[in-house]
Amino acid sequence: MVGVAILCAVLAAGCSALGAMWQHAGVRETTDLKLTSAYQLVRSRRWVYGFLVLFACAVLQVTALALAPVSVVAPLNALAIPIIAVARARRLSGLLAVAVLVATVGIVVFVTITAGTAVPTEVSPKVALQAGQLVVAGVLVCVVAATFTAGAVRALALAVGAGIAYGLVAVLVRDVTTALPVVEWFSLGGLVVAFLTGAWFIQLGYAAGPPDLVVAGQTVVNPIVAAWIGIKLLGEGTGMSAVSQAGLVVSALAAVSGTVVLAYYHRVSVEA
């Protein structure tokens, strides 16, 4: 089952990259994007195509999360980073290549460690509430950062906020799917709110910066948050050795560093 889950997650990463490029193009067609004018997005054919592809991505992700632990499935989202970076690059400069490589390798190592050590667990209402409170705090910090910045930095702040929200979504999706046919209404409600928040942040991120930066920010932060919740709050890392935990920290730092360098690359490109 874990193999099928990994395959679904990899396919979802490809859909994520394609959907992001189409939605970014659609958002760029809308001037002065605001919550009250969001309905204008459905007028863009490319944005709608992106939405449909991302819907397929969501179905694949839900399937993967129903079959394997959160800390195994979520990190594979980051495979969208090299896909979209290479697809958009007119030329693959040394700095861009290094940033993409470091972020991708960091996530691959991260998921390799979790795949070998994580164990499936149930999500209790208490843990779901605790995770939700931490996520709200993280999202608010990103809102403040995005409010006082512009360009690539604003796009990255919004992407990180989306990644934090989606990290909670991954956890709650697993709770809802594994509890069926019983409906976990508390988790379902939190899932919807977190998903809509993350989706809106991504659209605002597209309006502020390039799609590969937005994808990189949210797909790196998303699995790290989801895996942290899974390992620390849900106990999926019970029995994990000190060496494995150190490997997770190092690989997470590598993934984040690669994303920061990617943001720097785009900022320099714009200013040049």
Side-chain angles (χ1 to χ4, degrees):
M1 287 298 181
V2 174
V4 175
I6 290 176
L7 175 61
C8 288
V10 171
L11 292 174
C15 290
S16 176
L18 179 59
M21 288 188 290
W22 275 340
Q23 283 208 324
H24 176 265
V27 168
R28 288 293 185 170
E29 295 174 352
T30 304
T31 57
D32 192 24
L33 181 63
K34 296 179 180 179
L35 191 59
T36 54
S37 61
Y39 66 91
Q40 297 179 11
L41 292 173
V42 298
R43 298 178 181 176
S44 168
R45 183 175 298 179
R46 285 184 288 187
W47 189 89
V48 173
Y49 287 161
F51 173 83
L52 294 175
V53 172
L54 291 175
F55 180 80
C57 170
V59 172
L60 289 167
Q61 278 286 357
V62 169
T63 303
L65 288 166
L67 297 175
V70 174
S71 49
V72 173
V73 173
L76 290 170
N77 291 340
L79 292 178
I81 297 174
I83 296 173
I84 193 171
V86 172
R88 290 191 70 251
R90 293 191 179 92
R91 64 183 184 85
L92 199 61
S93 68
L95 183 61
L96 177 61
V98 169
V100 171
L101 182 63
V102 170
T104 305
V105 169
I107 287 298
V108 169
V109 173
F110 194 99
V111 75
T112 299
I113 295 173
T114 55
T117 57
V119 294
T121 58
E122 294 183 358
V123 182
S124 68
K126 179 180 179 180
V127 170
L129 178 60
Q130 185 179 2
Q133 291 171 336
L134 293 173
V135 164
V136 168
V139 168
L140 288 176
V141 171
C142 293
V143 169
V144 172
T147 301
F148 296 100
T149 54
V153 177
R154 173 178 167 81
L156 183 58
L158 290 164
V160 170
I164 293 173
Y166 281 166
L168 179 62
V169 168
V171 174
L172 296 180
V173 163
R174 177 159 179 80
D175 183 30
V176 171
T177 55
T178 55
L180 292 175
V182 177
V183 179
E184 293 288 349
W185 292 107
F186 179 79
S187 292
L188 183 60
L191 188 162
V192 171
V193 172
F195 175 79
L196 292 177
T197 300
W200 180 240
F201 276 28
I202 286 177
Q203 306 309 314
L204 293 175
Y206 289 155
D212 48 336
L213 176 58
V214 177
V215 168
Q218 74 96 357
T219 52
V220 164
V221 174
N222 173 355
I224 291 175
V225 171
W228 182 85
I229 293 173
I231 292 170
K232 294 298 182 181
L233 299 185
L234 300 183
E236 291 183 351
T238 301
M240 185 178 291
S241 67
V243 174
S244 295
Q245 292 183 26
L248 289 178
V249 172
V250 172
S251 58
L253 288 175
V256 172
S257 299
T259 306
V260 171
V261 172
L262 186 60
Y264 172 77
Y265 167 82
H266 282 297
R267 186 173 184 179
V268 170
S269 298
V270 170
E271 294 175 350

